[in-house]
Structure formats: C-alpha cells, structure tokens
Amino acid sequence: MSNRNVAGLLVDTLVAAGIERIYGLAGDSLNAITETIRTHDRLHWVPVRHEETAAFAAGAEAHLTGRLAVCAGSCGPGNLHLINGLYDCHRSRVPVLAIAAQIPSQEIGSGYFQETHPEHLFAQCSHFCELVSQPEQMPRVLEIAMRTAIARRGVAVVVLPGDVALRPAVGTDTAPRFADPQPVVCPSAAELDELAGILNGARRLTILGGAGCAGAHAELVELAGRRQAPIVHAMRGKAFIEYDNPFDVGMTGLLGYASGYQAMMDCDVLLMLGTDFPYRQFYPTQATIVQIDVRGEQLGRRTRIDHGFVGDIQATLGALLPRLAPNPSDAHLRQAREQYRQARQGLDDLARTETDGKLIHPQYVARVINELAAEDAVFTCDVGTPTIWAARYLAMNGRRSLLGSFNHGSMANALPQAIGAQVSHPGRQVVALSGDGGLAMLMGDLLSLRQLKAPVKVVVFCNEALAFVELEMKAAGLLDFATDLRNPDFALVAQAAGLLGLSAETPEQVRPMLEQALRHDGPALVAVRVSRQELSMPPTLSFDLVRDFGLFMVKAVLNGRGDEILDLARVNLKR
Ligand SMILES: Cc1cc2nc3c(=O)[nH]c(=O)nc-3n(C[C@H](O)[C@H](O)[C@H](O)COP(=O)(O)OP(=O)(O)OC[C@H]3O[C@@H](n4cnc5c(N)ncnc54)[C@H](O)[C@@H]3O)c2cc1C
Ligand SMILES: Cc1ncc(C[n+]2csc(CCOP(=O)(O)OP(=O)(O)O)c2C)c(N)n1
C-alpha cells in the first residue's frame, strides 16, 4: 500500500466502493491508471473505440444497477469526446464518475499540446468537477466526487494530470466507506390529509406517472383502483407503469397515444407522480394539477400546479392510500380505457405484415422483436423513429428494461448503451434498435462487440433517411431536404467486423432473421430495409379522431399548420 502512486490510490478507492470496471480509451495521460489496472484483478478496463461510447455505456450500467459506474478519457480531445454521453447521463440522473485525464500539470495555462480546461467544459454536465493538482488532494477529491454523483444522481468529474497520477500517494491507507443511505422522504401528515382531500373530491382523476414511479407499481395500481383513475405515462415511466396495469391508457406527447392525451384533457384533477414530462402543450389548462416529486425544485417546472408535495412516490402513496375513499363512479376510467383500446387497435393494425409492394413496415419489425425477445431483455433505442417503435411496440413486464436518450435526445445512443448493458449484465439478452443514421454515427464501436465478446443484437431500421427529421419537416410544412442517407450494406459491414450480419429485404425474411440473430451465440446485426414514409403520430381510425388528432398536433407543435398533418394522416390511414 505504501508504494502506491496516486493512480493506485484511485484504483483502490474505486474497488473499495464496489466498482468493477472502467469504460474508456487509453492515452498517455491515462497511462498511470491503465498500468495499475493491468495488474489488478478486481477492476477491469473496458476498451471502446470512441469515448462518447464509454460515457453512454457507463450510463447504461448505472441505469440498470442504480449504482455508480465509471468512464475515462485521456487529456484534451480524449475527454472532450466524453461530453455528449455525459450530458445524457447527467440529464437522465444516473450516477457516473468520469476521470478526465489532464496535460502535465506544469504546462497548464501555457496553451500546451492538447490543452483544454475540463473544469469549464464539464461544468454544465456535472454536479462536481475538480482538478487534482497535488497528491495530497487524493483520495478526498475522489471521495467527494463519488458521493456527489451517488447522492445527487448525476455526473461527477475528477480531472487528473498524468504526472500527478504517477506521483507517490500520500493519502490514508484506510479505504473510505460508501454507505448507501435510504432515507424515506414523505410529505407530512397534514400534507397527506390535504392531498387525500383533493383526490377524494376529484370526480375525474387522471394520473400522469413517470420514472419516479419505479418500485411503486403496486401502490400506483391500488391508488388508481381506489379512485377509478386512468394512468397515463411519460416515456421514462413506461417500463415501470405499463405492465400488469388495468388502468394504463398509454403514453402522452407527440409520440403518445390519442387516449393518453385525451385522458389528461378530460380530467378535473391531474395527479403528476415522479414525472418531468417536458412538453407543456400536452398539459390540461382547466384541471386542478397536483404534483409529487422527490425533488422540490421539480415542482411546477413544466406546468402551473395548484398543489405540490415533496416525497418519494412509493413512500408517499403507501402513506396516502389508507386516507383514500373508493370512487363510486368509473365513467371517466371506462371512457379512457375504451379510447385506449381503440388507439391500441390502431397501432396493432399498423404492425401487420401486409405491405404495399415489398416494403417492410418498421412497426412490424418492432412487433416481432417484442415477440421474440427474452422476458428479461434489455432494449436500447436510438433517438429518431426507433424511439417511437420502442414506445409503442415493446411491451414491458417488470423484468425487461428500456434505455434511450430520452431526456438529452442524442442520436447514436443505442449501440453504446447496449455495450454497457451487456458488459455489466452478461446474463441478459441485449437488443439495440438502431437508426441507420444513429448507427453510422458511432459505428466504430461495432468493432467493440467482437473484442468485448458482447453478444449484443443490433437491429438497424434502414430507411435511408434521417426519417424523424423528415417527419418534423413535414409537420412544419417543409419539403424534405438534407435528410438522404446513402448507406453501405450494414450486414456486410457487420460481417467484416466479426459479427453475424444479416440483411432483411422482404417482410418474409424479418422473423426468421431476427430469430437467427437472437439465437446466435455472439454479437449479431440485422439490417432491415424498412419503408421510409411512416406516419409516426398517434394513429386513429375514424376521420373524427384524425381531425381531433390534427388539432392536437396543431396545439402541440404546428403553430397553425395542421393541413399537412391531416394530409399525411389520410395517406397513412388509407393503407
Ligand atoms: C425523439 C423523442 C421523442 C419523445 N417523445 C415523447 C413523447 O411523445 N412522450 C413522452 O412522454 N416522452 C417523449 N420523449 C421523452 C421525453 O423527452 C422525456 O424524457 C420523458 O417524457 C420524461 O419521462 P419521465 O417524466 O418519466 O422521466 P424524467 O424526466 O426522468 O422525470 C422523472 C421525475 O421523477 C422524479 N423522481 C425520481 N425518482 C423519484 C422518486 N423515487 N419519487 C418521486 N419522484 C422521483 C425526478 O426528480 C424527476 O422529476 C421523447 C424523447 C425523444 C428522444
Ligand atoms: C447528435 C444529434 N444530432 C442530430 C440530432 C437531430 N436528430 C434527431 S432524430 C434525427 C434522425 C435520426 O436518424 P436515424 O438514426 O436514421 O433514425 P430515423 O429517424 O431515420 O429512424 C436527427 C438528425 C440529434 N438528436 N442528435
């Protein structure tokens, strides 16, 4: 222990905290750290081809375990490449420590080769970012960084010059303990009485639940049953709310279901539970709005609220339930459920096999993935239309997980998140739903799948376009421009990278190829040629509903340009 250098102290501290791996890409400013890991048997280096991948991968691990995960980048451009992935981790509130190596300490401030100032660069995507300029700061700065990432759930960055990492450590021999405090945050008894009074008085209560409902499924369903309330979910709440839930009426938002939108518009009281659903146009304007969130600063952030309470959803609902009376009327719930049935029927119809000519509908691909995937699969979906297909066709069951770049909205997240999910959970099936634009953006890390022996299954929705952007252009009444993609044969690219590579060109090939890929004992990629023009807005069957939906789109994003959407809807509904 006494011969340790600062890098050795850093590694020992991480190991003592239960860290098993660091995702990263080597560089000389990281040499002291990688050299220590080389001879260490409890900490593994996970090499990737782009540091952004390292950050996304660490975020995926942290998401699935709920514990701290670590990534590293070398000085200057190396750690600069981490930034977009770290933004995603930070905005998704997953605890990630980034080690940003720095140029030699005596050169800082001289405009030296590769010099940047990570303390400034990472400031916006971290809760903590400090430079270690002398060995005496370690391990204290590292401990504070780790505790901050865990306690505030987000990113912390330790900036470490390569020469400081090589210097003898002067820190304590005692490894710090990282307790995992589990305080129960619940509104006071008086607040709970007030909350119960509001809910007991509601005739048409609708619940909007989000990621903060994780672990509170039973309480949520009991609350909805007691008050006969439909439950709408925000995207990050899907995995925790939708399954085994007789009160579920789907998602809201631009990609949501008409039923989710309608249930929120028709209520007299909206109860927001652990959600930061961002789109203000989708909140009701007349209803009484009540919000519960464990973070007080989240209250009233997205819509005006009438009552706000600070509490953990599970604890709060547990304390609230005994105070709630049964609602004698189920009219609101029945109406919302019927609208949901219709919306779901419309979505399922769109996922049928029949196609125009030889086109493969992406909805069908997503449906088949859902049918074939394991009961505890981890899905990742790229920003772009794969997010839509995941939201609508992947059924969650309490054991499956769904990861995306939902809050930061960065393309190219699916492959790197799949890498982190697979490396940290070797026993689970991991399926990435990638866009052809998204895959190409960080395609270098297809090579990592083979190198890491990570049996990720990548399904590429090849629509030869930045299709989501085209959709937005159409919605705004613009002609498509700058969205064409001339793709290579991704199956051949995959084969060259040492993966099983398959290409589905016809609807008949989709299911057998996906089956083959999922059975394959190793990484696999299936490139599916899907149709380019797909209406991804909430589908509806009757013209009245289309018209309502048109209005809803106008209200949401179109600034009065609803005609194009109606035309698009008519075209899509004809088939
Ligand atoms: C292309 C694209 C399109 C999208 N379209 C849609 C769409 O149509 N509809 C949609 O819903 N989303 C959509 N999204 C996702 C959207 O941007 C948001 O990420 C999502 O709506 C947020 O979901 P959330 O509120 O569940 O999670 P978050 O934004 O993460 O909010 C969770 C909230 O819960 C709180 N919380 C956490 N734990 C607890 C706890 N234990 N107790 C109490 N509170 C807690 C947090 O403080 C936070 O306020 C889209 C994303 C992309 C990339
Ligand atoms: C890094 C980044 N660049 C640009 C965007 C804007 N953007 C959002 S979706 C999208 C298209 C994604 O294309 P692709 O991955 O091919 O998926 P598709 O929508 O075509 O299915 C773009 C360019 C973004 N979100 N992130």
Side-chain angles (χ1 to χ4, degrees), residues 365-373 379 394 431 433 459 461 514:
V365 181
R367 195 194 93 193
V368 177
I369 293 172
N370 180 52
E371 287 169 9
L372 297 179
F379 300 102
L394 297 183
V431 184
L433 278 63
V459 182
F461 289 75
L514 288 173

Side-chain angles (χ1 to χ4, degrees), residues 205 207 217-231 245-248 317 321 324-330 333:
L205 174 69
I207 297 169
H217 188 272
E219 291 83 356
L220 185 63
V221 169
E222 201 178 333
L223 163 68
R226 190 79 56 88
R227 295 304 306 158
Q228 296 295 296
I231 305 176
N245 185 345
F247 306 98
D248 175 41
L317 297 192
L321 278 165
L324 291 183
N327 183 354
S329 167
D330 66 352
L333 175 65

Side-chain angles (χ1 to χ4, degrees), residues 52 84 382-389 408-412 434-441 461-470 472 483 485 487 530 532:
E52 184 173 340
N84 191 48
D382 262 341
V383 165
T385 65
T387 295
I388 308 169
W389 316 136
H408 184 47
S410 172
M411 280 172 74
S434 295
D436 43 7
L439 179 75
M441 203 175 254
F461 289 75
C462 298
N463 49 30
E464 307 284 318
L466 302 171
F468 195 82
V469 177
E470 283 189 348
E472 291 171 325
T483 51
L485 297 177
N487 288 321
V530 295
R532 181 165 174 165

Side-chain angles (χ1 to χ4, degrees), residues 310-487:
V310 174
D312 167 74
I313 298 306
Q314 188 184 25
T316 306
L317 297 192
L320 178 70
L321 278 165
R323 293 167 158 87
L324 291 183
N327 183 354
S329 167
D330 66 352
H332 176 54
L333 175 65
R334 266 193 291 113
Q335 183 184 354
R337 285 289 291 177
E338 174 54 23
Q339 282 167 344
Y340 175 58
R341 195 193 58 71
Q342 289 176 19
R344 191 62 254 178
Q345 176 75 50
L347 290 171
D348 292 342
D349 287 347
L350 287 171
R352 65 190 186 270
T353 23
E354 289 92 323
T355 57
D356 304 329
K358 281 287 171 196
L359 291 180
I360 304 172
H361 291 305
Q363 295 92 330
Y364 172 64
V365 181
R367 195 194 93 193
V368 177
I369 293 172
N370 180 52
E371 287 169 9
L372 297 179
E375 285 297 290
D376 66 345
V378 180
F379 300 102
T380 64
C381 61
D382 262 341
V383 165
T385 65
T387 295
I388 308 169
W389 316 136
R392 294 185 179 170
Y393 295 102
L394 297 183
M396 296 291 117
N397 57 10
R399 295 173 61 210
R400 287 177 165 183
S401 310
L402 174 62
L403 278 64
S405 179
F406 297 132
N407 286 356
H408 184 47
S410 172
M411 280 172 74
N413 58 291
L415 174 64
Q417 288 177 328
I419 290 174
Q422 189 74 83
V423 168
S424 61
H425 293 76
R428 289 178 74 175
Q429 182 184 69
V430 179
V431 184
L433 278 63
S434 295
D436 43 7
L439 179 75
M441 203 175 254
L442 284 177
M443 197 162 64
D445 270 299
L446 272 184
L447 308 182
S448 302
L449 297 183
R450 183 188 186 200
Q451 181 163 352
L452 297 171
K453 298 192 175 64
V456 168
K457 316 302 177 195
V458 182
V459 182
V460 194
F461 289 75
C462 298
N463 49 30
E464 307 284 318
L466 302 171
F468 195 82
V469 177
E470 283 189 348
L471 198 67
E472 291 171 325
M473 287 174 172
K474 282 193 185 72
L478 300 170
L479 291 177
D480 306 341
F481 177 66
T483 51
D484 273 345
L485 297 177
R486 300 281 152 81
N487 288 321

